[in-house]
């Protein structure tokens, strides 16, 4: 988010300084599943979510888990999430996300072009697979909403699935092919490549931990880090799941939490997938990448401090092997990352209410890779009061103001 925003600000002539405690793309953006999920327009906070969650939490093979010790800290976030699970809110959020994601690839295009990153992108689509009529029926609303918003799709039966992805075990009765999705063969290298472009065009990179701001009247005048101070005409907070204290320092208390996600990458898979496959029942995506075949997904609520749960990596690897019986599982690497998660499933893309030269760009949950360029584009528009490409009102910080 920070790199894409920097690139868009730079296009408007701003002199950009990126302050990051790590190198470009070394946060959650390093290990995601690589999908430009342009059709992920329905929020997680759907009306049927509260009814599904208890059974999911009791199922040991479930894609959703919680560290019970973390529950007391999560309760306010969960309460807000449940209150967003109404038909009215889900309809509004779908409309909002359709706007954001509708601009996703158009906003990436000039960035890929100028960074020479097109080689890292594949336009193969994605195949969603469902084990039975029940799980397919459960996705009916989501599929219908995608269709209504013009996302192209093709419904497949068991034979169609086998023809498209012969490596899959013959356990799926229904599939949906979305031909217009794209994926990257390496999200880490992609972010680094965009970062190199930003640097070459004159941006300064400071490896330090930002911990506050200086002010002149109502304006922010500098970003303070543990060892330096950086004067600024405008500031953008894009620190992913770690953005909450920085936003609070700007006077915006927001209910940002994290949905931790896991990946296992099979370095020598021994099989080839021509396109990514999303196992809808197990809720993870298998993406063919340069580092290998990557299975990425799951949601764990456990905050920012607890170590990864090795049982979730084991589960992800074993579920992948069940779906791809010929997969070689000998050479794997495990990773866990922190999706920045807002309870209403909408990111914050906003000017701050108190300081007209401070902006927020975080909380993109499951779609941060997809929506980074569109977000950066929007922040650059906000910074110069230009009309944005899509309606930014649903993403304003004010929707939660003084609620936390
Ligand atoms: C398993 C998994 C699979 C996923 N798959 C997909 C997918 O297929 N498609 C998709 O669109 N999205 C996917 N996502 C979501 C996506 O990865 C995230 O939404 C995205 O990476 C968030 O980007 P970000 O820039 O906001 O955060 P990050 O990438 O985490 O970047 C935040 C940066 O801020 C820095 N930082 C934090 N605090 C400070 C501070 N105080 N001072 C200085 N620097 C700081 C960090 O060092 C880091 O570099 C997936 C996520 C996971 C976990």
């Amino acid at each position: 988010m920070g790199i894409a925003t920097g690139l868009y600000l730079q296009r408007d002539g701003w002199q950009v300084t990126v302050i990051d405690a790590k190198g470009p793309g070394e946060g959650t953006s390093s290990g995601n599943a690589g999908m430009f999920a342009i059709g992920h327009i329905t929020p997680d906070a759907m009306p049927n979510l509260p009814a599904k969650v208890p059974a999911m939490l009791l199922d040991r093979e479930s894609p959703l888990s919680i560290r019970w010790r973390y529950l007391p800290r999560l309760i306010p976030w969960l309460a807000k999430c449940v209150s967003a699970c109404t038909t009215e809110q889900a309809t509004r959020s779908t409309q909002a996300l359709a706007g954001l994601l509708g601009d996703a690839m158009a906003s990436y295009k000039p960035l890929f072009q100028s960074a020479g990153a097109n080689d890292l992108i594949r336009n193969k689509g994605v195949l969603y697979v469902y084990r039975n009529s029940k799980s397919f029926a459960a996705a009916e609303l989501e599929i219908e909403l995608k269709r209504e918003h013009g996302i192209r799709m093709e419904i497949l039966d068991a034979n169609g699935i086998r023809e498209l992805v012969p490596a899959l075990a013959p356990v799926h009765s229904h599939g949906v092919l979305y031909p217009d999705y794209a994926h990257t063969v390496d999200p880490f290298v992609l972010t680094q490549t965009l970062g190199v472009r930003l640097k070459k065009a004159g941006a300064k990179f400071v490896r330090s931990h930002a911990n506050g701001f200086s002010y002149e009247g109502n304006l922010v005048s500098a970003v303070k880090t543990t060892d330096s101070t950086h004067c600024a005409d405008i500031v953008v907070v894009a620190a992913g799941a770690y953005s909450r204290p920085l936003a609070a320092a700007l006077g915006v208390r927001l209910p940002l939490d994290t949905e931790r996600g896991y990946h296992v990458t099979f370095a020598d898979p021994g099989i080839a997938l021509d396109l990514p496959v999303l196992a809808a029942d197990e809720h993870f995506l298998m993406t063919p990448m340069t580092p290998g075949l990557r299975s990425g997904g799951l949601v764990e609520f456990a905050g920012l401090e607890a170590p990864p749960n090795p049982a979730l990596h084991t589960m992800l690897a074993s579920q992948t092997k069940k779906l791809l019986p010929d997969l070689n599982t000998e050479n794997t690497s495990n990773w866990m990352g922190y999706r920045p998660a807002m309870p209403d499933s909408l990111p914050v893309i906003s000017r701050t209410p108190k300081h007209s030269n401070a902006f927020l760009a975080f909380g993109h949950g499951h779609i941060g890779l997809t929506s980074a360029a569109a977000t950066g584009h929007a922040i650059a528009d906000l910074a110069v009061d230009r009309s944005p490409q899509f309606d930014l009102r649903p993403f304003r910080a004010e929707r939660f103001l003084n609620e936390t």
Side-chain angles (χ1 to χ4, degrees), residues 1 20-21 28-29 32-35 208-210 240 242 365-370:
M1 211 60 62
D20 195 325
T28 298
S29 301
N32 61 47
M35 171 69 60
S208 192
H209 183 89
Y242 296 88
H366 296 246
I367 53 165
L369 169 69
T370 313

Side-chain angles (χ1 to χ4, degrees), residues 130-180:
Y130 302 84
R131 282 179 176 270
N132 50 50
S133 317
K134 197 175 159 207
S135 63
F136 184 60
E140 205 173 15
L141 175 62
E142 185 193 313
I143 295 169
E144 200 39 50
L145 286 167
K146 283 189 172 88
R147 203 195 307 270
E148 275 174 24
H149 282 85
I151 307 297
R152 288 201 309 141
M153 63 182 76
E154 189 185 332
I155 308 291
L156 301 178
D157 61 11
N159 289 333
I161 295 169
R162 243 189 310 284
E163 239 168 67
L164 200 60
V165 189
L168 268 180
V171 294
H172 299 104
S173 59
H174 296 71
V176 186
L177 171 69
Y178 296 101
D180 297 330

Side-chain angles (χ1 to χ4, degrees), residues 349-387:
I349 307 169
S350 182
R351 191 189 296 276
T352 64
K354 268 193 181 172
H355 308 288
S356 60
N357 68 335
F359 302 89
L360 308 173
F362 56 78
H364 294 71
H366 296 246
I367 53 165
L369 169 69
T370 313
S371 55
T375 299
H377 197 167
I379 293 287
D381 289 340
L382 279 177
V384 293
D385 285 325
R386 193 166 49 215
S387 293

Side-chain angles (χ1 to χ4, degrees), residues 34-36 38 105 118-128 152 154 156 164-165 176-185 272-277 286-289:
M35 171 69 60
F36 296 100
I38 53 161
M105 297 322 281
N118 283 322
D119 285 358
L120 296 166
I121 312 302
R122 301 283 180 276
N123 295 296
K124 295 274 185 176
V126 62
L127 174 67
Y128 281 45
R152 288 201 309 141
E154 189 185 332
L156 301 178
L164 200 60
V165 189
V176 186
L177 171 69
Y178 296 101
D180 297 330
Y181 281 45
H183 72 277
T184 174
V185 291
L273 289 190
D274 192 40
L275 79 172
V277 177
M286 295 169 280
T287 311
M289 290 188 173

Side-chain angles (χ1 to χ4, degrees), residues 73 116 184 214 393:
R73 283 170 69 186
T184 174
S214 306
R393 286 170 298 180

